């Protein structure tokens, strides 16, 4: 897995070093973010809603993101909801929407600001502030 990510990462660093074009850099970073997210199934490792830990509400779920903009919420191995998602490197956000979802999956609807990412293990941490001012914090780990 490390080889799979290291070689493209090395290529990216090389291209960025030799090219000062911001658009090229943004496109490369967006491509890497897309690859990181779409190459893994994800589980909720931590979910806080206004300081309350509600991680257990997602215990039976995993999520699969696809490069065609679809995301599936899978409960106990069965696809329960289909949603959409899109990354935006310049604003460091991921927008997700599960239009017909109920609690707790509807909590994923919105624009998530990516606060941290990591490799080995793969994880993404993000924060969303709702229209009501409620702060949601999320950590997804690769499954």
């Amino acid at each position: 897995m490390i080889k799979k990510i290291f070689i493209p990462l090395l290529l990216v660093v090389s291209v960025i070093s030799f090219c000062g074009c911001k658009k090229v850099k943004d496109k490369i970073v967006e491509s890497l973010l897309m690859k990181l997210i779409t190459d893994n199934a994800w589980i909720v490792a931590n979910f806080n809603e206004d300081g309350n830990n509600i991680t257990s509400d997602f215990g039976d779920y995993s999520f699969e993101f696809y490069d065609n903009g679809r995301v599936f919420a899978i409960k106990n191995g069965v696809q329960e909801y289909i949603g959409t998602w899109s990354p935006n490197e310049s604003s460091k956000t991921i927008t997700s929407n599960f239009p017909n979802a109920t609690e707790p999956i509807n909590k994923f609807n919105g624009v998530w600001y990516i606060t941290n990412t990591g490799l080995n293990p793969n994880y993404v941490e993000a924060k969303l502030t709702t229209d009501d001012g409620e702060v949601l914090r999320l950590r997804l780990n690769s499954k």
Side-chain angles (χ1 to χ4, degrees), residues 5-19:
I5 292 176
F6 179 73
I7 292 172
L9 188 58
L10 184 60
L11 179 62
V12 168
V13 170
S14 298
V15 169
I16 289 173
S17 297
F18 294 110
C19 178

Side-chain angles (χ1 to χ4, degrees), residues 61-138:
Y61 286 96
S62 65
F63 299 86
E64 294 179 2
F65 295 80
Y66 293 89
D67 58 7
N68 65 1
R70 292 184 130 194
V71 58
F72 299 120
I74 300 164
K75 184 175 184 180
N76 295 320
V78 177
Q79 182 181 305
E80 188 169 275
Y81 296 108
I82 299 173
T84 58
W85 78 286
S86 62
N88 184 318
E89 165 37 39
S90 62
S91 63
K92 294 184 176 134
T93 61
I94 293 177
T95 301
S96 62
N97 184 35
F98 288 92
N100 299 315
T102 59
E103 293 280 338
I105 300 304
N106 63 352
K107 293 185 184 301
F108 278 90
N109 294 345
V111 179
W112 290 86
Y113 175 73
I114 299 170
T115 57
N116 200 6
T117 60
L119 302 174
N120 201 21
N122 295 331
Y123 70 89
V124 174
E125 292 176 344
K127 176 178 124 176
L128 177 145
T129 303
T130 67
D131 293 338
D132 302 339
E134 182 176 37
V135 177
L136 307 177
R137 295 186 186 277
L138 170 69

